[in-house]
């Protein structure tokens, strides 16, 4: 995470000097913006454990710095995240497993990154 706001432009000026000469360089930089505007769609939304393959489709995500990387996580009842898959494809399949602690329900989280990991 950057302490600089996304999308802001900054100008950096550096001067290097010794007793004989000085050099000044200026560089303009823009803080990278994370991918936005997309969704995660599951099909089907219900199934039988180890029997139903669920397709996860990531659509509508936009960013200037391609390719995008999708990371799908299972949120465990303890609140910790377990990485299920990392993909640059816009869809993947996943078969659910039995989880009595979570009343047989699963919570998923999606993280989307651009080529600069924003």
């Amino acid at each position: 995470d950057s302490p600089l706001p996304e999308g802001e432009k900054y100008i950096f000026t550096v001067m290097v000097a010794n007793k004989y000469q000085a050099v000044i360089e200026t560089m303009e930089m823009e803080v990278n913006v994370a991918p936005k505007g997309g969704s995660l769609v599951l099909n089907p939304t219900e199934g039988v454990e180890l029997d139903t393959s669920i397709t996860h489709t990531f659509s509508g995500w936009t960013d200037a710095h391609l390719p995008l990387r999708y990371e799908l996580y299972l949120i465990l009842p303890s609140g910790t995240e377990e990485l299920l898959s990392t993909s640059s494809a816009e869809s993947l399949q996943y078969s659910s497993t039995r989880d009595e602690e979570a009343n047989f329900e699963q919570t998923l989280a999606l993280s989307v990154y651009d080529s600069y990991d924003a």
Side-chain angles (χ1 to χ4, degrees):
D1 292 325
S2 171
L4 303 175
E6 289 185 349
E8 291 292 320
K9 291 184 181 180
Y10 295 88
I11 297 174
F12 296 94
T13 303
V14 177
M15 181 179 83
V16 178
N18 62 23
K19 63 181 178 179
Y20 303 107
Q21 65 180 10
V23 177
I24 298 174
E25 287 292 327
T26 301
M27 179 173 65
E28 184 175 323
M29 293 178 58
E30 184 174 340
V31 178
N32 193 16
V33 177
K36 59 183 173 186
S39 63
L40 165 61
V41 177
L42 307 179
N43 187 26
T45 58
E46 294 184 9
V48 177
E49 71 168 299
L50 301 175
D51 185 46
T52 305
S53 183
I54 300 172
T55 300
H56 302 77
T57 304
F58 321 116
S59 62
W61 294 95
T62 59
D63 193 90
H65 307 107
L66 301 176
L68 298 180
R69 185 178 83 249
Y70 305 94
E71 291 185 355
L72 186 65
Y73 293 88
L74 172 64
I75 309 300
L76 302 174
S78 65
T80 58
E81 297 179 350
E82 180 181 303
L83 180 63
L84 296 176
S85 179
T86 298
S87 176
S88 59
E90 291 190 349
S91 69
L92 63 91
Q93 290 193 341
Y94 165 73
S95 294
S96 65
T97 56
R98 179 181 174 144
D99 190 351
E100 290 183 52
E101 266 187 75
N103 198 27
F104 303 102
E105 295 180 355
Q106 292 187 333
T107 301
L108 301 174
L110 176 67
S111 294
V112 182
Y113 301 95
D114 67 12
S115 60
Y116 293 114
D117 283 338

